[in-house]
Amino acid sequence: MARTRKRLGDILIELGLLTEEDLQGTLDAKTSDQKLGDALVQRGLITEQQLIETLEVQLGIPHVTLFQYPFDPKLFNVVPKDFAKRKSLVPLRAEGDRLFIAMTDPTDFITIDDLRLTTGFQIEPAIASREDILKTIAKYYEEESYDDMLEEMPQSTAEEENLDDIDGPIVRLVNQILSNAVSLKASDVHFDPQESRILVRYRIDGTLRTEKILPKSMQQMVTARIKILANLDITENRIPQDGRIKTTVDLRAIDLRVSSLPTVFGEKIVMRILDLGANLTDIDKLGFNELNMKRFLREIDKPNGIVLISGPTGSGKSSTLYAALNKLNSEEVNIITVEDPVEYQLEGINQIQVNSNVGLTFAAGLRSILRQDPDIVMVGEIRDKETADISIRASLTGHLVLSTIHTNDSIASITRLMDMGIEPFLVTASLNAVVAQRLIRRVCRDCRETQAATLREQEIFEKRGLTIDVVARGTGCPRCNMSGYRGRMAIHEVLVVDEDIKTIINRGGTAAEIREVAVKNNTIFLIDDGLLKVKEGLTTTEEVLRVAMTD
């Protein structure tokens, strides 16, 4: 009698990894062509490692970790790179007439048959994570082609090389660097010129790491190729330039912001990767504490006033603004933004790109917006007194204004506005709330272990009126590149400007006085929100102290 295979959802529930409600919610929400496992991972209900281990139980097919696996380089010629990338698989080893293959979906029998016919081997599948497979393809297939590119590289200058030839070595090299960056979920790619070489570095989860070292002879051609893609002037290398590239990498729409900067060893290029397919518009996924979320939603629901998001560059301010706009976006309201640059295009919202070359600054754009009958206005950044003045005027005439400001915390944002020359009575009349924000790394869910809190950690928590017994730390695994961290989350500080704070501002009170009132109002400061996330096992004390100050 044939053995009935247990369903994936039932096994996950039996193992205690999933509830009936989560399973049913995922089944209702997923698309018809999406596999249940992928949908559960996408919603963050299970990790990819948990899915692989469950599939191993369900299918009776072993799983394999590709980190430091002893691959046979000859087999990479047996399975073509394009096929491996398209089908998410890599060859592991050959034994006699059997070829062992690591796949994300070992039930894809059509692909297994294709491989059997094209290679002549009997195929033995094993399960591996998509990320492991993509990293392996990037490391082994791409490294081989990288060596070929160096051999093909002409001994010519950038002007002589055809940089538009899609089969040319320079074009393939730049495409490969971008493809790898997207596969590894990098936020930025740095091309750092040095005296005798070029470093290619990726920023992953907020940390830079060197990915490739290119010979100095390639610098001019690589720089020229990127400039051509970004519509920059390839003959000008004495002044900074900014541009954009819209492209598709591995079937995903990607927007790249390109910045070139002259240095003593040539032009340094930084490319910021904006994944247009990423889900950035759901306010529930920003990691707000329950009290902070309630306060933030209440302030953005007000018909007028200013809500500021503060934090340094790269702290996720734009994501929070876009999520707020998406929440407010409806047929009944007219939302207009003025940004530099427009990072993500939102349907139903009128977005203006700042262009200082033709006089379209934040202030000029904002003046024009106010003649367009807006209900909600988003200003990319308040940089100067003129922009601040017009934003305040807009909020006092019945508009809700959302913007960002570069300060260390929420209270410093109030003093920054006054330092710009804004009168205290105008600040109190217009400012509803300030949200300070930072990004911290998450503990990797695959290698997460609980440990007893150290004495130092207990002291830090005690100072903030909290207690801690156990903390979570990542021991390091292939999926997090042995760092113990994977992905990032935000910590927030929502300062609501109430009557008591307005009184302090109007009489020229100090930041310490404002802080006292904020404490009485149960404001959750950045350090507190971070430590609460440590208690939940989401991050570590070290990560919180890296971005938030203790008293």
Side-chain angles (χ1 to χ4, degrees):
M1 194 172 93
R3 178 173 165 267
T4 307
R5 184 190 293 163
K6 275 192 178 179
R7 292 183 303 177
L8 177 66
D10 294 334
I11 298 172
L12 288 166
I13 290 168
E14 276 179 28
L15 293 171
L17 299 173
L18 206 61
T19 64
E20 288 275 7
E21 292 76 22
D22 287 337
L23 175 61
Q24 195 53 53
T26 306
L27 287 168
D28 293 341
K30 80 178 188 73
T31 56
S32 57
D33 59 340
Q34 190 178 29
K35 287 187 164 59
L36 174 61
D38 292 341
L40 290 167
V41 171
Q42 192 179 334
R43 296 184 76 186
L45 296 170
I46 58 171
T47 66
E48 197 168 7
Q49 183 62 21
Q50 287 169 337
L51 172 63
I52 288 168
E53 288 168 1
T54 310
L55 286 173
E56 183 177 27
V57 172
Q58 185 198 25
L59 304 173
I61 294 172
H63 84 271
V64 62
T65 301
L66 303 182
F67 183 70
Q68 293 184 335
Y69 189 90
F71 289 99
D72 180 353
K74 292 174 191 162
L75 293 177
F76 293 111
N77 297 321
V78 174
V79 179
K81 173 186 153 190
D82 290 340
F83 186 83
K85 211 165 189 177
R86 195 169 67 251
K87 299 294 186 180
S88 291
L89 54 85
V90 285
L92 296 171
R93 66 185 192 279
E95 288 180 8
D97 66 343
R98 294 187 302 161
L99 178 64
F100 290 81
I101 297 279
M103 309 175 69
T104 55
D105 181 10
T107 62
D108 185 353
F109 301 115
I110 295 171
T111 298
I112 290 170
D113 276 348
D114 284 350
L115 269 176
R116 185 172 52 78
L117 291 169
T118 53
T119 63
F121 284 98
Q122 290 299 319
I123 305 300
E124 296 283 349
I127 313 169
S129 74
R130 189 179 304 278
E131 200 167 324
D132 257 10
I133 287 173
L134 288 175
K135 281 180 186 173
T136 303
I137 291 171
K139 184 175 180 182
Y140 291 95
Y141 280 104
E142 307 287 15
E143 284 300 333
E144 283 189 27
S145 58
Y146 169 62
D147 292 337
D148 296 340
M149 283 178 215
L150 286 181
E151 286 175 22
E152 290 175 44
M153 210 63 69
Q155 302 302 310
S156 64
T157 62
E159 285 77 17
E160 293 164 355
E161 166 73 354
N162 182 2
L163 295 168
D164 287 323
D165 176 9
I166 59 169
D167 293 321
I170 285 290
V171 173
R172 294 196 337 259
L173 174 67
V174 171
N175 289 349
Q176 176 203 307
I177 289 169
L178 288 181
S179 178
N180 288 358
V182 172
S183 297
L184 295 170
K185 296 181 181 167
S187 59
D188 302 83
V189 182
H190 290 236
F191 293 83
D192 286 341
Q194 300 192 340
E195 191 171 7
S196 58
R197 59 188 186 167
I198 312 166
L199 296 184
V200 179
R201 300 195 291 167
Y202 293 164
R203 187 179 291 282
I204 299 169
D205 289 342
T207 308
L208 273 172
R209 72 165 196 237
T210 301
E211 198 65 26
K212 265 189 177 54
I213 297 173
L214 303 179
K216 188 73 174 175
S217 59
M218 292 170 64
Q219 180 176 334
Q220 200 177 352
M221 289 181 281
V222 169
T223 302
R225 173 60 187 163
I226 295 167
K227 283 185 162 186
I228 287 167
L229 288 172
N231 290 321
L232 302 180
D233 183 353
I234 64 167
T235 62
E236 180 57 80
N237 55 16
R238 298 161 301 170
I239 57 170
Q241 295 186 68
D242 292 302
R244 290 189 88 149
I245 302 169
K246 279 199 171 185
T247 185
T248 303
V249 177
D250 297 337
L251 306 176
R252 288 161 71 182
I254 300 293
D255 206 347
L256 301 158
R257 278 162 47 188
V258 180
S259 168
S260 76
L261 184 73
T263 71
V264 288
F265 296 126
E267 286 180 277
K268 173 179 167 71
I269 299 220
V270 177
M271 307 168 86
R272 164 68 57 89
I273 300 171
L274 302 169
D275 187 347
L276 302 179
N279 184 7
L280 285 171
T281 52
D282 191 345
I283 208 162
D284 298 320
K285 293 182 180 171
L286 294 178
F288 270 102
N289 171 287
E290 197 177 328
L291 178 63
N292 282 343
M293 172 72 94
K294 189 176 164 188
R295 288 177 172 175
F296 182 58
L297 290 178
R298 188 177 67 219
E299 295 307 317
I300 65 171
D301 276 338
K302 289 183 177 175
N304 54 44
I306 298 177
V307 176
L308 290 178
I309 316 279
S310 84
T313 305
S315 59
K317 299 188 299 295
S318 297
S319 298
T320 304
L321 273 183
Y322 282 124
L325 287 179
N326 199 52
K327 176 85 175 167
L328 297 167
N329 191 12
S330 71
E331 200 179 321
E332 292 79 34
V333 292
N334 178 21
I335 302 175
I336 307 181
T337 76
V338 53
E339 307 168 59
D340 182 21
V342 174
E343 289 189 5
Y344 295 94
Q345 288 163 11
L346 299 177
E347 199 174 332
I349 291 176
N350 310 285
Q351 295 171 275
I352 300 168
Q353 167 76 54
V354 165
N355 185 351
S356 48
N357 294 334
V358 295
L360 180 53
T361 60
F362 276 122
L366 196 45
R367 276 199 197 91
S368 302
I369 284 174
L370 296 179
R371 293 192 284 271
Q372 289 279 321
D373 183 33
D375 298 293
I376 298 164
V377 175
M378 192 266 262
V379 185
E381 187 186 338
I382 292 180
R383 294 177 182 169
D384 50 44
K385 183 176 187 295
E386 189 182 11
T387 310
D389 272 334
I390 302 166
S391 299
I392 286 169
R393 211 172 306 143
S395 72
L396 294 175
T397 52
H399 305 94
L400 177 68
V401 179
L402 305 176
S403 189
T404 69
I405 192 165
H406 282 241
T407 56
N408 286 330
D409 59 31
S410 55
I411 296 168
S413 304
I414 296 171
T415 52
R416 173 64 58 85
L417 287 172
M418 291 190 280
D419 289 345
M420 284 180 185
I422 306 298
E423 294 292 342
F425 73 88
L426 286 175
V427 174
T428 57
S430 59
L431 192 61
N432 290 353
V434 184
V435 180
Q437 178 169 320
R438 296 287 188 284
L439 289 179
I440 56 175
R441 291 182 293 173
R442 283 178 178 271
V443 171
C444 173
R445 287 176 65 184
D446 288 319
C447 61
R448 178 180 177 276
E449 281 186 2
T450 53
Q451 302 173 0
T454 63
L455 195 60
R456 173 72 181 133
E457 283 176 318
Q458 289 173 357
E459 286 171 6
I460 291 165
F461 273 76
E462 209 172 296
K463 273 187 189 172
R464 306 302 304 179
L466 299 165
T467 58
I468 187 82
D469 296 318
V470 292
V471 293
R473 280 194 174 81
T475 55
C477 68
R479 274 157 294 286
C480 62
N481 288 307
M482 309 310 290
S483 68
Y485 297 101
R486 191 159 175 238
R488 289 192 291 175
M489 65 193 302
I491 56 172
H492 304 92
E493 172 179 304
V494 180
L495 178 73
V496 177
V497 183
D498 65 0
E499 291 306 319
D500 292 340
I501 292 176
K502 287 178 181 179
T503 304
I504 294 168
I505 295 169
N506 282 331
R507 65 172 168 78
T510 63
E513 288 178 276
I514 296 173
R515 191 175 186 86
E516 275 179 35
V517 175
V519 170
K520 280 181 197 163
N521 291 344
N522 296 323
T523 300
I524 298 171
F525 294 99
L526 281 171
I527 181 78
D528 300 320
D529 194 29
L531 294 179
L532 287 170
K533 286 180 166 66
V534 173
K535 271 182 81 81
E536 291 175 49
L538 299 173
T539 188
T540 62
T541 315
E542 294 86 351
E543 266 301 288
V544 175
L545 296 180
R546 187 174 61 83
V547 298
M549 304 275 286
T550 54
D551 293 336

